Amino acid sequence: MFAFKQSKGKSAGNKGSGGPKPPPLGRRVTSTPLSVSLAANAHAIRTQFGESSDLRLRITASPAAPGIKLAILYLQGIVDETSIREDILDKLQFAHADEETHGRGSKERQMQTLVHRLRTEIITAPLTEPVTTLERALDALLLGCCLVLVDGSSEAFATDAAGGAVRAVTEPTSQTVIRGPQQGFTESLETNIGQIRRIIRSEQMIVETQRIGRQTCTQVALIYMKNTVRMEFVEEARSRLAAIDIDGIIDSGYIEEFIQDKTFTLFPTVIHSERPDQVSAYLLEGHIAIISDGSPFGLIAPVTFFRFFQSPEDYYQRFDIASFLRMLRMSAFLLTIHLPALYIAITTFHQEMMPTNLLITLSAQREGIPLPALAEALLMELIFEVLREAGVRMPRAIGAAISVVGALVIGTASVQAGLVSAAMVIIVALTAMSSFVAPQLNIANSARLMRFLFMISAGMLGFVGIISLDLIFIIHLAGLHSFGIPYLAPMAPWVKGSWRDTIFRMPRWAMPLRPAMTHRGARKRVAGGKPKSQQQEAPQSLPPELPGQQQPSSMQGSGQGQQPGSGQGQQPGSGQSQQPGSGQGQQPGGGQGQQPGSGQGQQPGSGQGQQTGGGQSQQPGSGQGQLPQVAPVDHKRQPNEQRGEQQ
Amino acid sequence: MKRSYAKGTMSEWSLLRRSLAALLLLLLLGVAGCWDRQELNELGIISATGIDITDSGRWKLSYQLVIPNAISSQGAYVGSSASPVNVFTTEGDSFRGAVNKATQEMSRRLYFSHNQIVIVGEKAARKGIAPLIEAYMRNGDSRETVAIFVTEGTARKVLEQLLPLEKISGAGINRLIGLEEKYGGNFRAMTMFELGQSMLGPVHVGGVAGIGLRGNGDPVDSVDAAKATHTGTKVRLQKVAIFKENRMIGWMTSHESRGILWAKGWVKETSVSFACEGERLKRNSIRIRQKKGKITPIKQGSSWLMRVEVSGEGALMEYNCPGDMSKPGNLRPIAERIEQELKDDIEDSIRGAQSLHADIFGFGNLLLKQHTREWKKIHKNWNEQGFPKIESEVIVKVKINKTGRSVNSYNNTIKEMHDKE
């Protein structure tokens, strides 16, 4: 750990006193050119891998290169062998020699042409790259490429064949929501980036990938929105990532520990999220995300304290319940760190603070309890933590047994045994429940530790202890930063207007600006003002000037071609749906496709097909044809709603 | 931007040093220790205190000690074998000296913060209660907001009495006076602090609700005695003890007490019984809410007139007199009879106070505030000479808001029907 620390915060070129270090895999410095002999090259590579059994070598030949030996090398398990067979082997087998170039020029020249032709014409892998050095060849193999060596040429080439078993996209297990997207990140970086890209379809979203880890050479992606992020964050993130020099990155937790602003604090300064929707929402607000290959948890920075009480679901639910739940979560956080401490302080120092009846009830419960309240509380909280840890670590099959035993230990049995008072059980239960309310696991974890500090402090000094510790924590929080952003922002320092999305969650149209701390340039994200639909008495889904739409007969899809008024293609005004950038991509432009008469349905290039139209174009004549015309320029109204109304 | 991040190399030593420092800081907390910690099961919670005095002038303090186990076991005191409270007495020349002696016979530290009431025996009250107030004002653990009562006999007897429905009789008595203040309108809870304050005020007079045991049976001082469906004796609020300059000087009746409360505007809600025209029995009653209670001093030559203005409104609860009540105008004579009833109460209480030579109405306080110069001339011997000579004028206004759900008297209608036949 100490060794890791040393490299932290230093630029890559300025290594500490660690003696000569082996160069990291991704940044090999030496370069050994490949030999012209295939056997020598293959031997060199196999030697480098120490005859590892997963390195596969296949000698083959191709009609395209008559009389020349070819070799295919790959690491089994990280490549997709089917695609190697289809894209490389098959193609090599069935290729023809190029009569025109055959036998022309010098031998070297011939070989060059051959290799080039193999790489660019014959092999159909999506990505190929010439390889001239041994080191590059090793890198390529390790990244899941298939290496093709050609006898007689010192130039080989690598083709992308990355694959192997990956977990399918499933629901996030640690951050569940009831309403909202239900897919979570997986261990595959490509999948994860794809999930985000699928949400933010904008070229403004930049993905910078680099490799970190001397041995693991893990791909780490830094993602941000070019038009909303403050470039300082990006530069800071780049430099912090560049400074990481470590054997391996197994999980994004490794990276978090290196890039967080302060290690010796109980509070996380980086959010980790399993949810692509959450990461995307943060990106849109000008944060940066860091995703590491092999970890289903993306990191989000910079984040402030209050962010940890916001669940993605806050934005999917109605604003009133979301605001209520936010306040509930914050209260629960305060409760979970203070409740046992308050119990200890009141029962051992400030008995006068209780109503008499409560005092007598508690007093009766404590009759015969052998432990002082502090020890009792510590014992119970520790037992609970043990139970909780057991619940996480134990094999699934033992779960039921543990919960039965756990319920006995933290339950009436321990009260009946006279070890703890019944009130203490309630306190522990309440504390535990409150700690699970936090939507971000890491703030719940810091609450777990804080709770013990508060308990000890309360046991020593009573209320004075609790208040002092509160003050200490507030001072500490006020001094924390996340990527330069004060941790208590936007409360301290106060940022005008941002209360709307801190403790409360105002309606979207009432939060037209992106958060001030993390944004540069145009801050507007929502067209301001109350949406029109709410200002009018009753929302009118269908403009009356378009005839035919309300006629039930048009629902059968029979008359669309005959109704010129409803024909999408004929209406120039509907052209907006062809503009992908206008945000109307989802506008049911796909509806055009269903109108055989208009002739557009067959054009896959119309752009809408991928977006919403995908579902629609399979049902020609299902009555959606009349929809598109509805789309007067109303951004706020979901086209899907309208479809629902009509059908 | 780069703050705290680019701190540079943190050597192994510095890490170790930091951890050690943190550890030492934690140990420091241990130095503070838990020295004044007291666990709940080390406390003897006192719910009521009784003050008596021995013939030799020593204080006799009785404590009603709560036994939590007896209370917390499900159900009221009935059915539980153990008594919910334990009463014991210590003696001493000083209050806290007497309290301190409790350590000789009690296994727990006496804890006064939840003391609900203090009952002073009449003998002790007549001797003077200034030392009691002094002890209460000075100590943090005994609250000066505790309600104080005076009893005719010894205070200990009241503490020993169990109340039906209440597990802790001290808390029960406190609830009793609260209820009386809110709905009864005859007595008012007096806290130790208020009493001390009123005796330091210009007129040096205060009134404290009296409490006593009524009934001729055996005292309910054991759980067994409480097992019957009726209790031989019960705790009851009765009379008001008037204190003047630290000593109790006499009693006023509850009828007079009610007058005091009306005049001072302390009644919240009460019911008033009144008679029909020409009858003596007060067969009718009204639930009335006080709206105003104001005393104004008015100069009349060399003496003073005390004008008491009282108003209230309410709904009839019981009416047995003849008369048509459907006309609002007919309600006025009824209201007048109620007004007369209240006026009698107030006038009786003024007379009672005057005969006791105690300005319980705080008339002198008003003089001090409103006619400071004149007050300075007459404030000496005010209670003895000035106050008894005060004239008074009582103006009562009562409004009958509702006649209840019925209009005319049922009783009277029956009678009329009978007469007709």
Side-chain angles (χ1 to χ4, degrees):
Chain A
M1 175 185 177
F2 300 128
F4 295 177
K5 272 322 277 191
Q6 284 182 348
S7 67
K8 185 191 164 183
K10 299 186 130 196
S11 65
N14 183 19
K15 289 275 149 54
S17 57
K21 288 179 180 173
L25 183 70
R27 312 166 200 153
R28 290 172 201 273
V29 282
T30 57
S31 71
T32 320
L34 286 176
S35 145
V36 282
S37 150
L38 183 145
N41 284 336
H43 178 73
I45 291 169
R46 289 182 76 167
T47 322
Q48 286 286 336
F49 276 101
E51 309 281 332
S52 294
S53 59
D54 61 338
L55 177 70
R56 294 298 164 103
L57 169 69
R58 185 196 155 122
I59 308 286
T60 181
S62 166
I68 297 174
K69 268 206 290 185
L70 303 174
I72 288 171
L73 280 126
Y74 59 91
L75 284 169
Q76 194 188 26
I78 61 170
V79 295
D80 181 8
E81 289 188 304
T82 321
S83 77
I84 290 180
R85 192 169 58 237
E86 287 173 0
D87 294 343
I88 304 172
L89 289 176
D90 284 359
K91 297 297 182 300
L92 288 177
Q93 295 305 314
F94 301 113
H96 299 287
D98 190 343
E99 302 297 338
E100 286 178 28
T101 53
H102 188 67
R104 279 195 212 159
S106 69
K107 185 133 198 250
E108 266 177 42
R109 178 93 185 113
Q110 275 181 27
M111 282 312 290
Q112 262 184 8
T113 324
L114 174 69
V115 171
H116 186 261
R117 184 167 167 259
L118 281 175
R119 180 163 75 81
T120 54
E121 286 172 33
I122 293 171
I123 287 178
T124 53
L127 276 176
T128 58
E129 185 195 309
V131 171
T132 52
T133 63
L134 180 62
E135 286 72 24
R136 187 66 204 129
L138 294 179
D139 278 355
L141 282 173
L142 288 165
L143 296 180
C145 292
C146 173
L147 195 68
V148 182
L149 299 175
V150 184
D151 197 16
S153 164
S154 64
E155 186 186 312
F157 60 91
T159 65
D160 181 28
V166 287
R167 191 165 62 96
V169 175
T170 52
E171 267 182 55
T173 48
S174 67
Q175 292 173 300
T176 48
V177 298
I178 296 173
R179 181 173 175 182
Q182 300 289 352
Q183 59 175 342
F185 284 140
T186 69
E187 283 77 6
S188 154
L189 180 70
E190 292 78 24
T191 315
N192 294 349
I193 293 175
Q195 289 188 54
I196 299 172
R197 182 68 86 181
R198 212 165 293 164
I199 295 171
I200 307 178
R201 292 185 187 275
S202 162
E203 76 288 353
Q204 301 288 346
M205 190 186 103
I206 307 294
V207 182
E208 289 177 7
T209 309
Q210 55 187 299
R211 299 189 172 273
I212 299 177
R214 288 182 211 155
Q215 314 277 348
T216 60
C217 198
T218 312
Q219 282 201 79
V220 175
L222 170 67
I223 310 178
Y224 55 91
M225 294 295 291
K226 193 167 61 179
N227 56 348
T228 56
V229 77
R230 263 204 223 168
M231 282 318 281
E232 295 104 283
F233 297 147
V234 178
E235 280 149 23
E236 184 65 25
R238 281 184 195 138
S239 77
R240 288 187 191 187
L241 286 176
I244 300 175
D245 182 10
I246 186 180
D247 258 3
I249 303 282
I250 307 295
D251 184 83
S252 58
Y254 283 45
I255 299 174
E256 176 178 348
E257 209 157 271
F258 279 110
I259 65 166
Q260 66 193 358
D261 290 61
K262 201 171 172 66
T263 305
F264 294 99
T265 173
L266 290 177
F267 298 94
T269 49
V270 174
I271 279 185
H272 61 78
S273 169
E274 213 183 340
R275 306 186 56 88
D277 55 322
Q278 191 183 12
V279 171
S280 307
Y282 272 96
L283 287 176
L284 290 178
E285 293 191 343
H287 296 251
I288 55 167
I290 294 168
I291 299 182
S292 136
D293 197 17
S295 168
F297 289 94
L299 304 178
I300 300 165
V303 286
T304 58
F305 182 64
F306 297 98
R307 287 290 192 175
F308 289 92
F309 302 101
Q310 303 175 357
S311 159
E313 199 168 3
D314 287 356
Y315 298 99
Y316 310 146
Q317 279 174 328
R318 288 178 53 83
F319 78 99
D320 44 8
I321 185 73
S323 302
F324 167 71
L325 289 178
R326 269 190 190 175
M327 284 183 269
L328 191 78
R329 283 183 215 123
M330 286 185 210
S331 328
F333 177 74
L334 291 180
L335 202 68
T336 190
I337 57 180
H338 284 125
L339 194 63
L342 280 174
Y343 176 79
I344 294 168
I346 290 180
T347 55
T348 54
F349 290 97
H350 315 283
Q351 291 93 352
E352 63 276 2
M353 300 291 295
M354 270 183 283
T356 308
N357 286 338
L358 182 62
L359 172 74
I360 288 164
T361 313
L362 290 183
S363 187
Q365 287 174 5
R366 274 203 63 80
E367 285 297 327
I369 303 291
L371 300 168
L374 173 62
E376 190 190 352
L378 281 176
L379 178 77
M380 286 303 278
E381 290 290 349
L382 279 174
I383 289 178
F384 172 70
E385 291 296 334
V386 167
L387 192 67
R388 184 172 168 176
E389 186 62 9
V392 177
R393 304 288 158 232
M394 72 198 164
R396 291 268 147 73
I398 319 175
I402 286 288
S403 49
V404 168
V405 174
L408 282 179
V409 173
I410 308 190
T412 44
S414 59
V415 174
Q416 279 162 5
L419 288 174
V420 291
S421 60
M424 196 61 233
V425 174
I426 294 172
I427 298 279
V428 171
L430 209 56
T431 313
M433 278 194 305
S434 319
S435 75
F436 290 129
V437 169
Q440 295 293 333
L441 199 64
N442 37 8
I443 200 80
N445 285 342
S446 52
R448 274 161 87 177
L449 291 176
M450 283 166 77
R451 185 190 306 150
F452 286 99
L453 291 181
F454 271 99
M455 275 157 61
I456 293 168
S457 175
M460 302 285 173
L461 299 168
F463 279 178
V464 180
I466 296 180
I467 291 295
S468 330
L469 207 55
D470 269 330
L471 287 177
I472 290 172
F473 272 120
I474 288 173
I475 293 168
H476 173 71
L477 281 173
L480 273 184
H481 284 75
S482 173
F483 278 67
I485 297 297
Y487 199 51
L488 285 185
M491 289 292 153
W494 175 256
V495 180
K496 206 178 141 218
S498 51
W499 59 271
R500 291 154 187 269
D501 193 15
T502 307
I503 291 173
F504 305 103
R505 204 280 281 170
M506 289 288 115
R508 293 234 79 115
W509 47 263
M511 308 186 294
L513 299 184
R514 301 195 180 93
M517 304 302 285
T518 53
H519 178 246
R520 147 201 92 159
R523 289 194 52 211
K524 213 144 200 198
R525 61 176 169 193
V526 179
K530 224 176 169 189
K532 268 215 169 93
S533 60
Q534 294 185 26
Q535 286 164 356
Q536 288 167 358
E537 289 256 313
Q540 285 198 319
S541 59
L542 302 175
E545 65 266 21
L546 289 181
Q549 287 171 355
Q550 280 145 345
Q551 293 173 6
S553 68
S554 67
M555 298 290 282
Q556 280 108 42
S558 58
Q560 260 130 49
Q562 290 86 340
Q563 291 187 348
S566 69
Q568 171 72 13
Q570 287 85 348
Q571 287 196 346
S574 69
Q576 15 143 326
S577 46
Q578 266 109 5
Q579 302 169 1
S582 71
Q584 315 259 347
Q586 293 99 331
Q587 292 265 353
Q592 299 163 341
Q594 284 90 40
Q595 301 187 354
S598 70
Q600 294 191 357
Q602 283 74 24
Q603 299 180 0
S606 69
Q608 287 88 8
Q610 288 95 342
Q611 300 200 349
T612 32
Q616 298 180 355
S617 47
Q618 272 107 30
Q619 327 166 322
S622 68
Q624 285 146 348
Q626 73 264 38
L627 282 175
Q629 313 84 317
V630 181
V633 199
D634 188 352
H635 294 237
K636 280 132 216 148
R637 206 171 292 145
Q638 284 291 326
N640 289 343
E641 281 174 21
Q642 295 168 1
R643 178 166 45 202
E645 282 162 20
Q646 273 199 334
Q647 279 176 340
Chain B
M1 196 77 201
K2 296 206 172 172
R3 44 179 311 158
S4 80
Y5 173 63
K7 264 200 184 134
T9 318
M10 185 182 276
S11 74
E12 199 162 326
W13 251 121
S14 123
L15 252 178
L16 202 63
R17 267 209 305 266
R18 276 175 182 229
S19 333
L20 274 176
L23 204 71
L24 281 175
L25 274 175
L26 266 178
L27 286 178
L28 262 181
L29 263 180
V31 174
C34 321
W35 59 273
D36 62 346
R37 168 181 72 94
Q38 41 185 344
E39 295 294 334
L40 283 183
N41 43 9
E42 295 162 3
L43 292 181
I45 302 162
I46 304 292
S47 61
T49 316
I51 316 277
D52 289 308
I53 197 160
T54 62
D55 291 335
S56 56
R58 281 159 65 86
W59 296 111
K60 256 174 89 173
L61 264 63
S62 308
Y63 316 98
Q64 194 182 60
L65 181 79
V66 177
I67 301 174
N69 264 0
I71 288 165
S72 191
S73 53
Q74 307 296 310
Y77 65 87
V78 181
S80 162
S81 56
S83 167
V85 292
N86 185 328
V87 179
F88 67 103
T89 302
T90 57
E91 251 183 59
D93 292 346
S94 67
F95 278 105
R96 299 307 287 202
V99 170
N100 202 39
K101 282 206 179 138
T103 50
Q104 294 166 5
E105 52 181 287
M106 248 310 131
S107 59
R108 305 241 170 131
R109 212 192 122 219
L110 295 191
Y111 187 66
F112 286 93
S113 288
H114 284 269
N115 189 9
Q116 307 273 323
I117 55 168
V118 172
I119 298 176
V120 185
E122 184 175 349
K123 205 172 150 195
R126 289 199 185 265
K127 189 100 184 170
I129 55 162
L132 173 67
I133 297 178
E134 156 71 20
Y136 261 86
M137 301 291 248
R138 195 170 293 281
N139 290 293
D141 68 337
S142 41
R143 298 185 183 186
E144 70 274 17
T145 50
V146 62
I148 184 168
F149 295 89
V150 176
T151 182
E152 275 178 307
T154 59
R156 182 175 167 133
K157 278 270 166 278
V158 183
L159 296 192
E160 284 169 358
Q161 186 78 10
L162 292 174
L163 296 183
L165 282 176
E166 295 293 339
K167 295 169 187 168
I168 311 159
S169 54
I173 291 171
N174 199 20
R175 206 171 292 169
L176 187 71
I177 185 93
L179 201 73
E180 169 64 32
E181 192 178 331
K182 205 169 167 192
Y183 299 111
N186 293 313
F187 297 97
R188 183 170 173 269
M190 195 72 170
T191 65
M192 189 74 80
F193 177 72
E194 282 173 313
L195 181 63
Q197 214 178 22
S198 63
M199 290 204 295
L200 286 178
V203 296
H204 319 297
V205 170
V208 171
I211 196 165
L213 300 181
R214 271 290 167 272
N216 44 11
D218 300 323
V220 189
D221 53 4
S222 72
V223 174
D224 287 335
K227 278 181 177 158
T229 57
H230 58 93
T231 46
T233 53
K234 27 176 88 91
V235 172
R236 193 159 195 273
L237 292 169
Q238 52 191 10
K239 306 204 273 190
V240 178
I242 305 299
F243 280 79
K244 189 162 83 177
E245 284 157 16
N246 158 38
R247 300 197 158 71
M248 175 183 159
I249 53 161
W251 296 98
M252 285 174 80
T253 64
S254 53
H255 164 65
E256 287 166 337
S257 166
R258 180 192 183 98
I260 299 171
L261 259 59
W262 271 102
K264 299 276 269 183
W266 283 337
V267 177
K268 284 174 182 124
E269 206 182 315
T270 183
S271 52
V272 177
S273 301
F274 58 98
C276 298
E277 186 98 46
E279 282 185 26
R280 278 199 61 232
L281 275 179
K282 299 174 180 174
R283 295 193 295 149
N284 319 303
S285 63
I286 180 172
R287 188 93 197 138
I288 199 164
R289 192 179 283 275
Q290 183 164 22
K291 300 204 74 173
K292 183 182 173 190
K294 192 184 172 196
I295 305 174
T296 326
I298 293 167
K299 185 144 186 168
Q300 275 191 334
S302 63
S303 77
W304 291 88
L305 172 74
M306 181 162 96
R307 173 179 289 164
V308 180
E309 290 166 280
V310 167
S311 72
E313 57 182 45
L316 279 179
M317 294 207 306
E318 210 176 340
Y319 191 70
N320 291 314
C321 304
D324 177 18
M325 297 217 292
S326 56
K327 294 195 180 72
N330 291 354
L331 291 177
R332 191 58 222 154
I334 304 169
E336 269 163 20
R337 285 205 295 284
I338 301 163
E339 282 166 8
Q340 188 56 44
E341 192 64 36
L342 289 174
K343 199 172 166 183
D344 288 349
D345 280 352
I346 297 169
E347 280 171 349
D348 283 355
S349 66
I350 295 174
R351 268 195 295 279
Q354 281 176 335
S355 69
L356 271 176
H357 297 289
D359 180 7
I360 186 72
F361 294 93
F363 191 58
N365 299 351
L366 295 169
L367 285 177
L368 169 71
K369 275 181 202 157
Q370 295 169 19
H371 305 275
T372 317
R373 218 164 280 156
E374 277 101 20
W375 168 249
K376 276 188 179 156
K377 282 181 226 155
I378 54 172
H379 82 278
K380 270 189 187 155
N381 281 333
W382 165 252
N383 280 319
E384 282 70 31
Q385 288 163 13
F387 179 65
K389 289 182 202 143
I390 292 291
E391 300 274 303
S392 64
E393 182 191 8
V394 180
I395 303 163
V396 184
K397 283 211 176 74
V398 169
K399 192 181 160 205
I400 300 174
N401 280 345
K402 287 184 264 182
T403 60
R405 289 200 300 178
S406 56
V407 182
N408 287 344
S409 163
Y410 177 76
N411 185 18
N412 195 55
T413 319
I414 290 240
K415 214 183 281 172
E416 280 171 7
M417 194 175 71
H418 190 74
D419 291 349
K420 267 184 210 164
E421 284 163 6

